[in-house]
């Protein structure tokens, strides 16, 4: 009887120390290279603003640059709430090529003057202090 009690106690402690959400299959965890999950319709580019603006102009659109960061609850809500609404998505896609940057990211960004900076240096250059911007 004491052995059964100890086994049950061990199982209860394991469940308490390692909740079910921590034991999800690895396939469900697919980290994004961005701050949060960016909608698939955002543009993936080489981050050369000279090219990106030319392409947007050819399509009779403007370039929309979104700055986010890992763990930002406001970024998550912007994408989850606003960019899940059909009318907002349709209007944005019709008028803009959307591009996502991480204010702490290391990808290289080329500005209009040809100068190359990391995402974080570029965000500082543009004086981006808050997310989402």
């Amino acid at each position: 009887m004491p052995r059964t009690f100890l086994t049950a106690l061990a199982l209860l402690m394991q469940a308490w120390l390692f909740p079910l959400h921590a034991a999800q299959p690895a396939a469900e965890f697919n980290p994004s290279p961005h701050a949060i999950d960016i909608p698939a319709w955002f543009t993936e580019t080489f981050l050369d603003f000279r090219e990106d603006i030319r392409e947007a102009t050819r399509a009779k659109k403007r370039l929309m640059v979104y700055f986010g960061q890992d763990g930002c609850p406001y970024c998550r809500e912007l994408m989850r709430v606003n960019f899940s609404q059909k009318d907002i998505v349709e209007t944005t896609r019709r008028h803009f090529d959307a591009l996502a940057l991480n204010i702490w990211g290391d990808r290289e960004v080329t500005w209009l003057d040809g100068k190359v900076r990391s995402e974080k240096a570029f965000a500082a250059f543009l004086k981006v202090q808050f997310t989402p911007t």
Side-chain angles (χ1 to χ4, degrees):
M1 200 74 168
R3 186 175 187 174
T4 305
F5 174 75
L6 290 176
T7 303
L9 181 61
L11 288 173
L12 284 172
M13 289 191 66
Q14 183 178 20
W16 180 69
L17 292 172
F18 303 102
L20 291 177
H21 65 80
Q24 293 178 357
E28 289 183 26
F29 180 71
N30 186 12
S32 170
H34 301 288
I36 45 100
D37 290 328
I38 305 298
W41 52 268
F42 269 55
T43 306
E44 289 290 329
T45 73
F46 292 112
L47 303 178
D48 185 332
F49 276 79
R50 299 166 300 182
E51 292 176 11
D52 296 337
I53 291 170
R54 272 196 297 272
E55 288 182 24
T57 302
R58 267 190 291 248
K60 297 187 181 344
K61 296 180 180 182
R62 294 184 151 219
L63 186 65
M64 178 184 84
V65 182
Y66 156 81
F67 287 92
Q69 66 176 311
D70 295 334
C72 171
Y74 305 105
C75 300
R76 183 187 67 243
E77 290 302 295
L78 172 69
M79 297 300 165
R80 190 180 70 76
V81 176
N82 298 78
F83 285 137
S84 69
Q85 295 180 37
K86 186 179 177 188
D87 57 333
I88 291 174
V89 171
E90 287 175 354
T91 301
T92 305
R93 291 185 75 178
R94 185 172 38 255
H95 297 288
F96 298 95
D97 280 346
L99 182 66
L101 296 175
N102 183 336
I103 67 167
W104 304 113
D106 292 318
R107 295 182 300 167
E108 290 186 342
V109 178
T110 305
W111 186 232
L112 302 176
D113 60 4
K115 185 163 183 177
V116 177
R117 299 172 174 88
S118 67
E119 289 171 284
K120 64 183 150 222
F122 182 65
F125 169 72
L126 294 180
K127 298 181 177 30
V128 175
Q129 298 178 5
F130 306 101
T131 58
T133 295

